[in-house]
Amino acid sequence: MKLTIVEYPDKRLKEKSKEVEKFDKELHVLLDAMYKTMIESNGIGLAAIQVGHAKQILLLSIPDEEDQQSIDTLIEMINPVIIQTSGETTYQEGCLSVPGFYEDINRYECITVNYQDRDGNTKIVEADGLLSIALQHEIDHLKGILFIDKLSYSRRKKFEKEYKRVQKEKKLSKI
Ligand code: QAP
Ligand code: CO
């Protein structure tokens, strides 16, 4: 089933997600529905709160060298925790919950993440490049943080003005 994406400024995006304790069929059904939703929405990352579930779950599907996304490139993370960071980098980020908007965001260059897979097995991954950036973006969602929350005061003001203008236009075009 394709789920509905929660869009900014919906208050649910500010919620702190809760730790997953049961690694059961219900979790697997949600993970599968999130995957379908992410791919059909042309996303490379999705957190459960973006489909209205305040659970510490995220999906990533970073395109390969041929720019292809496939089930082989899917990463599912439950209860992820960043345990080590190094370096700094900037990347122009977007978000399925803030469609049509892209901003330069500062992130760590490399991170190490501890997480559980869909069966509850504990894993550890060291990430750099786009995977590292996407992971930090999605882990922020689990804390109720959006990429636009990381903008300077003046860039955020500019964003809000532009977002309101676009939302108004979208409404008008529906008439
Ligand atoms: C998070 O973002 C991310 O505006 C995932 O119209 C961001 O999948 C990972 C999307 C930056 C790595 C770097 C955004 C699709 C998808 C849009 C996404 C849109 C359609 C965003
Ligand atoms: Co996002």
Side-chain angles (χ1 to χ4, degrees):
M1 203 176 52
K2 192 186 177 194
L3 308 168
T4 307
I5 305 236
V6 174
E7 288 186 11
Y8 182 77
D10 195 305
K11 290 223 164 52
R12 282 175 288 177
L13 293 169
K14 287 188 158 293
E15 274 181 50
K16 279 200 175 65
S17 292
K18 297 222 156 52
E19 204 173 310
V20 173
E21 286 172 348
K22 280 188 270 176
F23 295 81
D24 55 6
K25 185 81 213 284
E26 196 185 318
L27 172 68
H28 296 176
V29 168
L30 175 59
L31 284 166
D32 294 343
M34 281 176 64
Y35 180 69
K36 187 172 158 67
T37 307
M38 176 175 74
I39 297 300
E40 287 183 8
S41 311
N42 299 315
I44 60 165
L46 186 72
I49 196 63
Q50 292 181 275
V51 291
H53 294 261
K55 293 180 180 174
Q56 292 178 17
I57 301 171
L58 65 84
L59 295 188
L60 289 174
S61 177
I62 307 294
D64 64 18
E65 290 86 43
E66 275 127 49
D67 214 28
Q68 291 295 307
Q69 268 174 316
S70 74
I71 195 81
D72 302 328
T73 59
L74 172 66
I75 301 174
E76 295 174 337
M77 288 195 183
I78 325 282
N79 305 327
V81 180
I82 298 176
I83 55 168
Q84 208 173 63
T85 66
S86 68
E88 279 168 38
T89 186
T90 303
Y91 194 86
Q92 192 172 50
E93 298 186 16
C95 180
L96 286 170
S97 295
V98 192
F101 285 80
Y102 302 86
E103 299 282 355
D104 282 342
I105 304 296
N106 300 326
R107 298 285 186 187
Y108 299 113
E109 189 173 26
C110 302
I111 59 169
T112 306
V113 178
N114 203 320
Y115 68 98
Q116 284 169 288
D117 68 10
R118 63 159 63 206
D119 300 312
N121 304 308
T122 300
K123 307 238 166 135
I124 198 158
V125 69
E126 230 177 283
D128 60 11
L130 184 56
L131 178 61
S132 168
I133 290 155
L135 260 172
Q136 292 171 67
H137 176 110
E138 299 309 331
I139 291 172
D140 268 354
H141 273 299
L142 309 185
K143 300 172 187 163
I145 300 167
L146 295 176
F147 74 111
I148 49 169
D149 294 334
K150 300 200 164 283
L151 293 172
S152 68
Y153 182 77
S154 64
R155 290 210 64 89
R156 179 61 180 259
K157 281 268 243 196
K158 196 164 165 247
F159 162 80
E160 290 297 340
K161 205 172 151 186
E162 194 65 11
Y163 199 75
K164 279 197 186 108
R165 188 181 68 72
V166 171
Q167 297 295 102
K168 240 183 225 168
E169 264 175 17
K170 275 191 190 170
K171 257 192 202 165
L172 282 171
S173 70
K174 279 184 197 150
I175 303 169

